[in-house]
Amino acid sequence: MIEKKDFPLLRYNTFGIDVTAARFIEYDSVDELRELITGARFSEPFLHIGGGSNLLFLNNYYEGTVLHSNIKTIEVTDEDSCAVRLKVGSGVAWDDFVAHCVKRNLYGVENLSLIPGEVGAGAVQNIGAYGVEAKDLITEVHTIDTEGRERIYSHADCRFAYRYSIFKEPSSKGVIVTYVCFRLSKQESYTLGYGTVRKELEDYPAVTPGAVREVIIRIRNSKLPDPAVLGNAGSFFMNPVVPKTTFEAIRRDHPSMPFYPMGEDSIKIPAGWLIEQSGWKGKSFGPAAVHDKQALVVVNKGGATGRDIIALSDAVRRSVKEKFGIDIHPEVKTIC
Ligand code: EPU
């Protein structure tokens, strides 16, 4: 276990906001975590972080305890001729988990290559890309709460939806994910229908999880800025889901608008498209800017505070609302 006072979080938030935590604790096991959170010395507020790739700190000092998991095991819990079940520690880097599966020719998670962050946060956020979401592979989620009670959430208990799980609810505030269990297929199956994935695979002699991983990494690198170079948190906004009537009204004036049907009556519209059409792609607002290759991403050009980022976000949201009548909401979690 590592415990530090007045700990700089620059390395722990991909936006590159210069923030210090009053206390930072990294634990190595569930037993250590239980002892810590049920102990007399532990007091709220606390913030449990993963890779800090979806966080925006508003202030330059966090007056509480930041917790970080160093549970890094990947364990096979069951295997048959069709599938392998893995129990993965919350502190495993998401992309290390993907690489682990791809190396063993397990199918299902390759489209989620290069997503920043860690496995525990991946379940909380139900991360997704290129037609696959974490929920498609998760079987159960192991947790402990601040009273020290352990609970295993079944897939249904997690109430997964687009970038959502029950762990995002205020009622889950004291619940900490310790392990995530996945089922990966041993039988060849791919999801290649999204964007240019299938097209780019034509350059490869055969489709394999490794080839798909390479293609996804190439696409991501061409659109999404590297946080080590330009601070960002991936998609800053969620794609809005609107009633079909709203979608049809907008489409009359914008026939080329991209969209994804979501059931009978709802349509998901890419926020990146709405933001670009509102004139924000590549535009700066003080030290914050809308990325020039993907308008869904907000970047820290250097020295931006959380409030600079929020000022840009508010201005973008106002423009989209004025032009299209649609409210877009940040995907990124704001910390006061
Ligand atoms: N688009 C524009 N302008 C832009 C950006 C996008 O017109 O500046 C259009 C594209 O041309 C395309 C459509 O919007 O027709 C969708 O774009 P893209 O495929 O890049 O995906 P997205 O909807 O912008 C989502 C996820 C990403 C994920 C990609 C690929 C959300 C909030 N974002 O972005 O996730 O990588 O799909 O599946 O759902 C993340 O969450 O951090 C993230 C990067």
Side-chain angles (χ1 to χ4, degrees):
M1 180 144 70
I2 295 172
E3 179 167 354
K4 298 258 166 74
K5 288 223 165 82
D6 286 330
F7 185 76
L9 292 174
L10 206 54
R11 229 167 40 81
Y12 286 86
N13 79 103
T14 59
F15 247 124
I17 305 288
D18 191 7
V19 50
T20 299
R23 198 163 156 227
F24 176 85
I25 300 179
E26 188 169 72
Y27 55 88
D28 296 308
S29 66
V30 177
D31 287 344
E32 264 187 22
L33 175 60
R34 184 189 306 101
E35 204 172 300
L36 177 74
I37 55 182
T38 57
R41 262 174 5 102
F42 192 77
S43 60
E44 300 217 35
F46 78 93
L47 168 69
H48 198 294
I49 61 167
S53 53
N54 204 42
L55 293 181
L56 181 63
F57 288 96
L58 281 193
N59 300 319
N60 55 11
Y61 196 78
Y62 178 72
E63 298 272 1
T65 301
V66 170
L67 292 178
H68 184 244
S69 166
N70 195 35
I71 305 177
K72 283 191 185 288
T73 48
I74 301 183
E75 182 195 338
V76 175
T77 54
D78 196 14
E79 181 165 5
D80 59 27
S81 56
C82 302
V84 174
R85 287 172 190 268
L86 296 173
K87 183 180 174 192
V88 185
S90 52
V92 172
W94 178 268
D95 196 52
D96 288 351
F97 162 59
V98 177
H100 176 97
C101 298
V102 166
K103 205 166 145 198
R104 284 158 185 78
N105 258 326
L106 299 174
Y107 299 86
V109 79
E110 56 282 351
N111 288 29
L112 303 182
S113 290
L114 209 65
I115 295 185
E118 294 169 2
V119 165
V124 172
Q125 170 75 356
N126 183 25
I127 54 176
Y130 307 101
V132 176
E133 290 178 287
K135 75 169 172 61
D136 303 335
L137 307 154
I138 292 174
T139 53
E140 51 189 36
V141 176
H142 293 222
T143 67
I144 187 166
D145 69 14
T146 43
E147 308 291 315
R149 291 176 299 224
E150 292 186 47
R151 174 174 166 189
I152 298 175
Y153 286 70
S154 70
H155 187 279
D157 292 340
C158 295
R159 301 211 331 250
F160 289 121
Y162 169 60
R163 296 294 193 274
Y164 175 83
S165 76
I166 192 169
F167 306 111
K168 286 181 124 180
E169 289 295 322
S171 57
S172 297
K173 205 195 158 309
V175 177
I176 297 170
V177 173
T178 51
Y179 292 95
V180 183
C181 298
F182 298 89
R183 180 185 183 277
L184 278 306
S185 178
K186 285 166 96 175
Q187 290 169 332
E188 194 168 21
S189 64
Y190 300 102
T191 304
L192 306 177
Y194 191 99
T196 56
V197 176
R198 197 187 301 274
K199 176 102 199 50
E200 300 215 11
L201 276 165
E202 284 169 10
D203 298 344
Y204 289 79
V207 178
T208 61
V212 176
R213 176 169 165 79
E214 271 184 41
V215 161
I216 298 289
I217 287 175
R218 206 189 315 142
I219 297 174
R220 288 187 71 92
N221 280 338
S222 71
K223 287 191 183 171
L224 300 168
D226 177 357
V229 179
L230 199 57
N232 75 91
S235 300
F236 190 89
F237 300 98
M238 282 190 279
N239 287 332
V241 177
V242 302
K244 214 168 175 182
T245 45
T246 309
F247 161 74
E248 275 160 2
I250 300 174
R251 203 174 184 212
R252 249 171 261 138
D253 294 334
H254 302 276
S256 62
M257 173 170 65
F259 63 96
Y260 310 103
M262 305 276 286
E264 288 280 286
D265 302 317
S266 304
I267 307 277
K268 187 158 50 170
I269 302 177
W273 183 87
L274 294 168
I275 296 166
E276 181 172 350
Q277 297 298 312
S278 304
W280 276 99
K281 195 170 188 172
K283 280 251 175 80
S284 295
F285 197 82
V290 173
H291 189 48
D292 56 0
K293 296 200 187 81
Q294 162 57 289
L296 198 53
V297 177
V298 172
V299 298
N300 174 1
K301 292 195 300 172
T305 63
R307 290 177 196 279
D308 293 328
I309 306 277
I310 290 294
L312 168 68
S313 154
D314 288 347
V316 167
R317 292 173 72 185
R318 271 196 303 275
S319 293
V320 170
K321 178 78 177 172
E322 270 164 32
K323 190 168 167 71
F324 295 103
I326 294 181
D327 288 308
I328 55 169
H329 298 282
E331 180 194 3
V332 167
K333 183 174 169 184
T334 305
I335 310 296
C336 295

